[in-house]
């Protein structure tokens, strides 16, 4: 190899930052990270920010400069794969030899009438800033981990609010009975009104309309179900799935463009059993690190080691003083061991701090 090998990382979330930091250790590589945001905020703390708590923030330019990594704040328009260039808003472009696509995901409210106009996502920092002062009745739609954490955090830190959790399924129903039962008991203790077997037909200016004809009045609707990804890969001609996520091989390279690696929520990543890995920082960070080690191996003229991955636990906070840690088998199915209460809250906080450290330090 002659000259510096240009590695451009698109996206400064968990997967992009972990990839950039890891591959920066490779000799003869020049790393550039591109993101529309100049600030990093832990995504796993957004429910805390929504509740009015102060959460850590990092200046990406300053932080990456300390690692010898260049940062460019810009919106990505298109990838010119033939010319190996990333076209940015404003007419600028960056050349690359290897590209890491880590543009992540955002909330998607398009599936239900009125949700785009009258509901708020809580998936990215801009969503939190878009929520005006919360008051009165709050309807949280979605019984997944995000919905549970949002409803619990608001109910605990804002007892002046009347919080409802609306879901087609039982909150935490995919976990073990002990974990699921603790989540339900804690929501009850916090005063969250849980409505299950509920499918939202429409969102209006004053709440929710359900398929069965019932209405749930709310001053604010928070939408935590569904996701979308940037369509940069799709409009750039890369092989993608129906949502626009990049299809990758076992080394996390684009199935159509092997000089492009894809990691995080914007990629379809399969586990050892062939099933798609879940969207989480527990997937994004190891994927970013693996892509970086694969790139570094190829720069040395070697074949990368096979990708191995297993899950260990799932963490759900239930406010600042309670939580659930569900230990899982390698395939992410629930195991018998479960931590609850203050022990679980402490455990979750340590994990969140470690996640931030891995991404930023």
């Amino acid at each position: 190899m002659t000259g510096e090998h240009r590695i451009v990382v698109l996206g400064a979330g968990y997967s992009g930052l972990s990839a950039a930091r890891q591959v920066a250790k490779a000799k003869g590589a020049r790393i550039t990270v591109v993101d529309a945001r100049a600030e990093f905020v832990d995504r796993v703390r957004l429910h805390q920010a929504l509740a009015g708590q102060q959460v850590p923030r990092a200046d990406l330019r300053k932080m990456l400069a300390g690692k010898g990594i260049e940062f460019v704040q810009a919106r990505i328009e298109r990838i010119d794969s033939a010319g190996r260039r990333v076209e940015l808003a404003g007419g600028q472009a960056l050349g690359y030899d290897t590209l890491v696509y880590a543009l992540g995901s955002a909330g998607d409210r398009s599936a239900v009438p009125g949700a785009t106009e009258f509901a708020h996502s809580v998936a990215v920092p801009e969503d939190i800033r878009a929520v005006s002062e919360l008051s009165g009745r709050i309807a949280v739609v979605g019984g997944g981990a995000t919905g549970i954490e949002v409803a619990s955090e608001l109910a605990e830190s804002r007892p002046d609010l009347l919080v409802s959790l609306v879901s087609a399924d039982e909150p935490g129903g995919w976990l073990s009975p002990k974990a699921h039962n603790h989540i339900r008991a804690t929501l009850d203790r916090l005063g969250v009104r849980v409505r299950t077997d509920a499918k939202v037909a429409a969102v209006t200016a004053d709440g929710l309309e359900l398929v069965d004809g019932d209405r749930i009045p709310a001053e604010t609707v928070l939408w935590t179900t569904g996701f979308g990804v940037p369509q940069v890969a799709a409009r750039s001609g890369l092989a993608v799935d129906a949502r626009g996520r990049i299809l990758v091989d076992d080394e996390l390279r684009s199935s159509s463009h092997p000089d492009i690696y894809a990691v995080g929520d914007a990629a379809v990543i399969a586990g050892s059993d062939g099933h798609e890995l879940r969207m989480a920082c527990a997937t994004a960070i190891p994927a970013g690190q693996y892509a970086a080690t694969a790139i570094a191996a190829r720069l040395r003229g070697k074949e990368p080691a096979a990708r191995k991955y297993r899950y260990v636990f799932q963490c759900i906070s239930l406010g600042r003083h309670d939580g659930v840690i569900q230990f899982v088998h390698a395939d992410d199915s629930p195991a018998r061991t479960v931590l609850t209460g203050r022990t679980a809250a402490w455990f979750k906080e340590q994990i969140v701090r470690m996640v931030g450290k891995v991404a930023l330090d």
Side-chain angles (χ1 to χ4, degrees):
M1 181 180 69
T2 60
E4 289 185 307
H5 188 91
R6 300 166 301 172
I7 301 172
V8 174
V9 179
L10 304 183
Y14 295 123
S15 57
L17 289 177
S18 60
R21 289 180 58 251
Q22 184 74 22
V23 81
K25 301 173 185 178
K27 294 182 179 179
R30 187 177 78 216
I31 320 300
T32 302
V33 173
V34 185
D35 199 291
R37 304 184 190 98
E39 183 180 67
F40 175 85
V41 179
D42 269 315
R43 189 167 185 168
V44 292
R45 290 195 188 274
L46 288 180
H47 58 284
Q48 294 179 243
L50 181 67
Q53 300 168 26
Q54 294 295 317
V55 299
R57 301 171 184 272
D59 182 315
L60 285 168
R61 191 181 308 277
K62 184 176 180 180
M63 183 270 294
L64 290 171
K67 313 293 182 186
I69 300 170
E70 180 186 8
F71 175 71
V72 175
Q73 184 182 4
R75 190 176 73 252
I76 297 107
E77 296 286 359
R78 182 178 170 274
I79 300 166
D80 173 9
S81 56
R84 292 192 174 185
R85 291 165 17 109
V86 178
E87 298 174 0
L88 308 176
Q92 293 181 305
L94 286 173
Y96 67 85
D97 297 303
T98 300
L99 187 70
V100 179
Y101 188 100
L103 291 181
S105 65
D108 180 11
R109 293 163 288 157
S110 63
V112 173
T116 300
E117 294 82 4
F118 300 114
H120 298 275
S121 295
V122 289
V124 295
E126 291 80 5
D127 294 336
I128 308 305
R129 291 194 289 269
V131 178
S132 59
E133 180 63 27
L134 296 172
S135 63
R137 299 162 296 188
I138 312 296
V140 180
V141 179
T146 302
I148 294 168
E149 292 192 326
V150 167
S152 301
E153 202 74 49
L154 290 177
E156 180 189 77
S157 62
R158 293 286 307 275
D160 57 306
L161 301 175
L162 297 175
V163 181
S164 297
L165 181 60
V166 183
S167 174
D169 304 308
E170 269 289 325
W174 69 95
L175 302 173
S176 67
K178 179 179 178 179
H180 163 236
N181 291 337
H182 184 77
I183 288 171
R184 190 58 187 265
T186 304
L187 291 171
D188 291 343
R189 174 177 61 78
L190 293 172
V192 176
R193 301 176 181 180
V194 179
R195 173 70 185 270
T196 58
D197 296 323
K199 186 173 182 180
V200 178
V203 183
T204 67
D206 56 4
L208 304 174
E209 295 179 358
L210 304 184
V211 170
D212 64 8
D214 282 357
R215 291 183 55 82
I216 297 178
E219 277 67 49
T220 302
V221 174
L222 301 173
W223 201 264
T224 70
T225 183
F227 74 94
V229 300
Q231 295 302 298
V232 174
R235 63 174 173 260
S236 300
L238 278 68
V240 297
D241 71 355
R243 294 182 182 270
R245 298 179 299 170
I246 295 180
L247 304 176
V248 298
D249 63 15
D250 288 341
E251 294 179 19
L252 304 183
R253 298 182 299 178
S254 163
S255 61
S256 58
H257 296 75
D259 57 339
I260 298 176
Y261 290 73
V263 294
D265 292 354
V268 182
I269 303 176
S272 57
D273 60 359
H275 289 91
E276 184 180 324
L277 298 180
R278 62 182 161 98
M279 297 168 62
C281 59
T283 303
I285 290 175
Q289 292 173 332
Y290 175 80
T293 57
I295 292 168
R298 292 194 177 280
L299 289 178
R300 298 192 304 269
K302 298 182 178 181
E303 287 293 314
R307 178 170 58 89
K308 297 179 180 179
Y309 190 73
R310 63 151 296 156
Y311 290 105
V312 180
F313 43 71
Q314 295 185 31
C315 306
I316 299 177
S317 64
L318 302 170
R320 295 299 85 209
H321 307 292
D322 205 334
V324 163
I325 307 298
Q326 172 71 70
F327 285 80
V328 298
H329 301 292
D331 64 356
D332 210 26
S333 60
R336 292 184 60 184
T337 303
V338 178
L339 301 179
T340 61
R342 288 183 178 272
T343 301
W346 177 87
F347 192 107
K348 169 73 185 292
E349 179 61 24
Q350 305 316 304
I351 295 300
V352 170
R353 291 183 183 184
M354 183 181 70
V355 165
K357 185 178 179 64
V358 169
L360 299 174
D361 285 358

